[in-house]
Amino acid sequence: MPIGYELEPNGMLDRMYRWFSKVSSRHVGAAEELPPKETLDGHLAAQRLAYDAVVHVSKLLRVGMTELEAATLLENYLKDHGTERYLHRAFAWFGSHSRFDEYQSYSDYHPSDRVLEEDHVVILDVSPVVDGYIGDVGYTVCLKPNEEMEKAKTFLLQLREDLPKMFGSTMTAGEIWLDIDRRIKDAGYDNVHSKYPHCVLGHRVFRVKPKQGKHLRIGNRSFGWFSLETNMAFLKMGLSATLTPEHIGRKLGLWAIEPHIGWAGGGAKFEEILVVEPGRCYWLDDNVPHVLEAKQRQAAAAAN
């Protein structure tokens, strides 16, 4: 699969893939099952652990550290707090890597020996599995004040505010993808999540069988992003599990939503779980770092 997305299909194979994606997105199976409260609590615990990890590691970042070292710190934090299991491996992207520049294939997206510089924007992305429940978050920081990054994060917070309304509307998931894409470009940014495998704006989260120990993974290409167990779960659900431009299936269930935008030299994203119920759509938790930090900035500005 080529990296990126164009509105017009690129040849016959692309047309066939888009047709298959659209048809298969209707076959949701158990992916849209609405979880009971205890299940939501399990995902909330996993998401909060994920945020604890990225915030903790963000404070340990130093000039000269590599992406691999930052990813290892994330993995060690999770291990020290009771889990070695994950939906996907820990990611750390520095500088232009935070907008996926220089990447030619999906194997390039894994943490590298890229060295952190003081003005680099950093994205940390981690997805622990806690007692079988998946959490998946993305967090954007910089070692020094970065006006462009803060502007981008403000734009992302507006998307965060609007996304539950969009999921609660009659729009298909694919129409939501295309509208977010339009809004990103109208604001002068690049759509970086269009460079993800299957160009996903998000994916479903679910529970896997609780186990101890590490997950296995296959290779280092797109399948290597995810553990073997979660790859198998995604295959079972099919493309209904991914929020792509072709998705026309039902939206009910739990989604990890991850809009990712870029500008010259940097990128920013957030990722958190959206709960979609009949007649109600809401974020699993509003006490998340990017929201709390924005409130703190607003309070400080008002005080001045």
Side-chain angles (χ1 to χ4, degrees):
M1 180 189 301
I3 294 175
Y5 182 83
E6 299 293 337
L7 292 178
E8 292 299 321
N10 183 21
M12 182 59 68
L13 286 177
D14 193 19
R15 290 181 185 277
M16 291 176 62
Y17 171 76
R18 296 188 189 201
W19 172 84
F20 176 74
S21 298
K22 183 174 290 188
V23 171
S24 64
S25 71
R26 291 185 179 276
H27 302 286
V28 179
E32 69 172 6
E33 290 181 359
L34 297 174
K37 183 180 185 302
E38 58 268 25
T39 296
L40 289 179
D41 289 344
H43 287 291
L44 178 60
Q47 179 169 284
R48 286 182 172 171
L49 174 61
Y51 273 124
D52 288 345
V54 295
V55 171
H56 176 79
V57 171
S58 73
K59 296 174 182 177
L60 301 178
L61 296 172
R62 298 291 184 271
V63 171
M65 179 180 290
T66 68
E67 291 175 342
L68 279 167
E69 289 170 336
T72 299
L73 288 173
L74 289 168
E75 292 166 358
N76 288 343
Y77 183 93
L78 296 179
K79 183 177 179 180
D80 291 344
H81 289 77
T83 182
E84 295 182 76
R85 302 176 67 71
Y86 57 86
L87 172 67
H88 63 70
R89 68 173 302 191
F91 291 111
W93 297 306
F94 296 170
S96 59
H97 282 185
S98 65
R99 50 167 285 128
F100 296 170
D101 286 348
E102 301 99 35
Y103 292 164
Q104 301 299 315
S105 71
Y106 290 125
S107 59
D108 295 332
Y109 288 50
H110 293 283
S112 72
D113 58 2
R114 163 66 65 91
V115 171
L116 180 61
E117 299 178 13
E118 187 180 30
D119 61 348
H120 278 172
V121 177
V122 174
I123 295 178
L124 304 175
D125 192 316
V126 68
S127 61
V129 177
V130 179
D131 193 28
Y133 296 103
I134 291 171
D136 197 355
V137 310
Y139 185 57
T140 306
V141 295
C142 187
L143 294 181
K144 57 185 278 188
N146 187 311
E147 184 177 349
E148 194 65 52
M149 181 191 74
E150 296 301 339
K151 179 182 174 183
K153 291 174 74 171
T154 298
F155 172 76
L156 287 170
L157 284 175
Q158 184 60 58
L159 294 185
R160 184 186 187 274
E161 180 178 340
D162 294 342
L163 275 160
K165 305 169 194 173
M166 298 169 79
F167 270 84
S169 74
T170 59
M171 298 172 73
T172 67
E175 288 170 340
I176 293 171
W177 193 104
L178 291 169
D179 193 56
I180 294 294
D181 178 69
R182 176 191 59 77
R183 290 178 61 172
I184 289 171
K185 292 173 180 175
D186 286 351
Y189 295 110
D190 297 321
N191 178 345
V192 182
H193 60 259
S194 70
K195 298 180 180 181
Y196 290 10
H198 305 292
C199 311
V200 299
L201 172 60
H203 56 83
R204 295 186 184 274
V205 293
F206 41 86
R207 194 181 187 198
V208 295
K209 186 176 180 179
K211 294 179 181 178
Q212 298 298 318
K214 294 182 178 180
H215 273 305
L216 298 175
R217 63 187 181 94
I218 304 173
N220 64 352
R221 298 185 68 82
S222 57
F223 271 99
W225 287 37
F226 298 92
S227 68
L228 176 60
E229 184 175 14
T230 51
N231 263 316
M232 296 304 294
F234 278 128
L235 287 172
K236 184 177 180 180
M237 286 186 284
L239 292 176
S240 66
T242 54
L243 203 170
T244 70
E246 287 77 38
H247 196 297
I248 59 173
R250 288 164 63 84
K251 297 174 289 186
L252 296 178
L254 302 181
W255 293 90
I257 304 296
E258 49 184 329
H260 188 161
I261 64 175
W263 62 93
K269 70 175 288 187
F270 72 82
E271 183 174 12
E272 53 181 304
I273 294 174
L274 182 71
V275 184
V276 183
E277 301 173 346
R280 185 184 180 208
C281 304
Y282 57 96
W283 297 106
L284 182 61
D285 189 7
D286 281 321
N287 294 315
V288 292
H290 47 287
V291 172
L292 296 176
E293 290 164 2
K295 289 180 178 179
Q296 291 169 357
R297 289 194 297 272
Q298 291 168 358
N304 293 329

